Amino acid sequence: MQSNAASDAVPQQRRVVTAVPGPASVALHERRLAVVPVGVASTVPVYIKRAHGAIVVDVDGNQFIDLGAGIGVTTIGHTDRAVVDAAVAQLDDFTHTLFTITPYESYVRVAELLAEHTPGTHAKKTVLVNSGAEAVENGVKIARKHTGRRGVAVLEHAYHGRTNLTMAMNFKAAPYASGFGPFAGDVYHAPSSYPYHDGLSGADAARRTVAYLEKVVGAPDLACLVVEPIQGEGGFMVPAEGYLPALQEWCTANGVVFIADEIQCGMARTGAWFASEHFGLVPDMVLAAKGIAGGLPLAAVTGRSEIMDSAQPGGLGGTFGGNPVSAAAAVAVFEQIEKNGLLAEAARIEHTLKPALLGLQQKYDVIGDVRGIGAMLAIELVQPGTGATSKEPNAAVVASVAAYAAQHGVLLLTAGTYGNVLRFLPSLALTDELLADAISVIDDAFAAL
Ligand code: PLZ
């Protein structure tokens, strides 16, 4: 389908024509402050008018290179033509019936595609919901029903959402949970693998995690272990080799449902359909959201059929879950990844960006660690001179570099338990040319410190 959408006319170029934020953004921000609570904070208060590929354009006409993709959502690029066309066609047909009242094909197709593309060849079933947090909630709920157990284990530095249960599952109290209690019980935070800080082998880190689970909870009371194969908000930690397989093995041996929260690291982000593949994992359940529908709200819980079918008819669902427009967009996302070989684009981005970041690490001793896989890379910032020893967090540098980058037309996300990580989560549509331009801005940002 040919389209004349304005977004198609967005040149893939960085361009800063006003102060950032510009006057139109400042005016909108004033209106917003009067009617939107401060709890909803925006990292960069520039108001967006349109976006395409790896560029977003604000209301003042500034064009930003988007290295965040709305926290890993527009993975195949903003306003991907096939995704927009699929959504528009569905909007014309119908916008809602409620799958649990009168169903439609696209929901079923998304479930088929997830069964095909999540790790493992076993029979799988999928329930579609609205957000990542809701996928986590449903994964836990189904695991509890299946096992008849109550305990939920998560890892240190984890992030799982902002609902009541998921607030209890996050590692970081501030800002996610502070003052919002009481929280759900039976959630246990086990030590994780964070090679840059703990220096442990995968086997030793796994022994530590398992010892915690066995002593503090006990397998007979544990329904599930929820892990992000590569932690997102926590700071893109890639666990030591063998760590995750050892955890999965322990879960299998003890009847604990092993749930991979692939909400940030899944859907082609790391050059595999799901990051679990890099570690040889075949999770009992995979949670997907963010990148699955090109920016439309959709999330999924895909699991072994016998586990998923433990929930009674009527026990799963929700008014908007698996919305037909979102589901149609998701089918197009799967097709585009396949048709355009986008897994290779994630690898391309790693091959260009990782050496560049390692180059910056040689130049600036506040860059303590460079890590990640595919288009999910990060640098951890430490106090000058402590990188080889105490690795003291340096959140101030992260804030200045991100602010400098925004002022110069590059949107860069922060992360990390200590706020001292810069993460690179661009869309796979980011060209090498734009990437080189963004890196030069970031280099300048460090030089300007
Ligand atoms: N699990 C691994 O990364 C969402 C949070 C943005 P929702 N991460 C971005 C913010 O500040 O709210 C996330 C995640 C992992 C679960 C979630 C939750 O997904 O769609 O935001 O509910």
Side-chain angles (χ1 to χ4, degrees):
M1 196 191 301
Q2 240 359 72
S3 152
N4 298 313
S7 50
D8 277 357
V10 174
Q12 297 297 290
Q13 256 167 29
R14 178 171 66 94
R15 196 171 72 125
V16 180
V17 294
T18 68
V20 174
S25 277
V26 170
L28 276 168
H29 201 61
E30 271 167 31
R31 280 172 55 197
R32 168 240 182 91
L33 290 176
V35 290
V36 179
V38 294
V40 186
S42 295
T43 315
V44 188
V46 297
Y47 287 72
I48 301 307
K49 185 150 168 102
R50 67 175 71 97
H52 188 66
I55 295 287
V56 298
V57 187
D58 75 6
V59 286
D60 290 289
N62 298 303
Q63 300 196 174
F64 297 86
I65 301 175
D66 185 3
L67 297 185
I71 317 197
V73 170
T74 52
T75 305
I76 71 167
H78 288 282
T79 55
D80 176 272
R81 215 51 254 161
V83 173
V84 174
D85 289 344
V88 168
Q90 181 59 47
L91 278 168
D92 281 338
D93 284 347
F94 63 95
T95 56
H96 178 83
T97 62
L98 214 176
F99 191 77
T100 57
I101 302 293
T102 46
Y104 39 88
E105 185 191 355
S106 54
Y107 189 120
V108 178
R109 185 67 194 133
V110 173
E112 288 170 348
L113 287 162
L114 281 163
E116 186 185 328
H117 292 293
T118 50
T121 52
H122 50 279
K124 299 169 197 160
K125 292 191 176 182
T126 291
V127 54
L128 296 180
V129 292
N130 302 297
S131 68
E134 205 188 342
V136 177
E137 293 263 359
N138 278 276
V140 168
K141 175 169 141 176
I142 296 164
R144 281 177 163 157
K145 184 75 201 268
H146 174 71
T147 57
R149 304 173 182 179
R150 57 183 171 79
V152 175
V154 292
L155 297 179
E156 286 177 350
H157 307 289
Y159 181 87
H160 296 294
R162 291 170 184 277
T163 57
N164 187 259
L165 171 64
T166 56
M167 279 193 289
M169 293 169 71
N170 296 338
F171 184 64
K172 224 167 139 171
Y176 306 124
S178 307
F180 295 142
F183 301 107
D186 283 314
V187 176
Y188 301 91
H189 295 257
S192 58
S193 166
Y194 191 165
Y196 178 58
H197 282 278
D198 63 30
L200 294 178
S201 70
D204 285 343
R207 259 191 291 279
R208 187 174 66 169
T209 307
V210 166
Y212 177 95
L213 296 177
E214 285 181 341
K215 294 298 154 202
V216 176
V217 201
D221 277 329
L222 203 51
C224 57
L225 170 64
V226 185
V227 302
E228 298 159 81
I230 300 174
Q231 291 182 317
E233 305 303 304
F236 287 18
M237 290 78 119
V238 180
E241 199 183 329
Y243 176 73
L244 292 173
L247 293 192
Q248 163 150 42
E249 203 176 304
W250 181 83
C251 284
T252 305
N254 289 279
V256 175
V257 178
F258 183 81
I259 304 181
D261 177 344
E262 293 248 14
I263 288 164
Q264 193 155 159
C265 60
M267 287 304 301
R269 174 55 52 196
T270 64
W273 278 98
F274 289 92
S276 288
E277 293 170 43
H278 296 294
F279 308 101
L281 303 175
V282 181
D284 297 315
M285 238 185 240
V286 172
L287 312 178
K290 291 195 186 287
I292 196 171
L296 280 94
L298 190 72
V301 182
T302 302
R304 294 183 183 279
S305 294
E306 67 274 19
I307 296 178
M308 299 303 288
D309 276 338
S310 58
Q312 64 278 18
L316 304 177
T319 303
F320 292 122
N323 170 272
V325 182
S326 297
V331 171
V333 167
F334 276 98
E335 286 170 0
Q336 286 294 82
I337 292 172
E338 198 113 70
K339 195 173 104 201
N340 300 327
L342 295 184
L343 299 181
E345 294 302 299
R348 167 186 63 80
I349 286 171
E350 176 178 346
H351 292 141
T352 312
L353 185 52
K354 211 174 209 175
L357 296 175
L358 289 165
L360 292 179
Q361 188 184 25
Q362 296 304 311
K363 272 170 88 170
Y364 305 108
D365 73 345
V366 289
I367 302 180
D369 193 27
V370 175
R371 57 178 177 251
I373 304 179
M376 184 173 187
L377 302 178
I379 55 180
E380 179 167 335
L381 285 298
V382 295
Q383 297 295 337
T386 70
T389 52
S390 62
K391 302 165 184 173
E392 286 297 312
N394 193 339
V397 162
V398 162
S400 330
V401 169
Y404 180 103
Q407 277 146 24
H408 293 81
V410 175
L411 296 179
L412 189 54
L413 301 179
T414 64
T417 295
Y418 304 99
N420 65 325
V421 173
L422 283 169
R423 57 178 151 171
F424 300 83
L425 211 53
S427 86
L428 307 179
L430 183 70
T431 61
D432 282 343
E433 209 179 355
L434 280 179
L435 195 47
D437 186 29
I439 291 160
S440 77
V441 170
I442 292 161
D443 193 342
D444 293 345
F446 277 101
L449 286 172

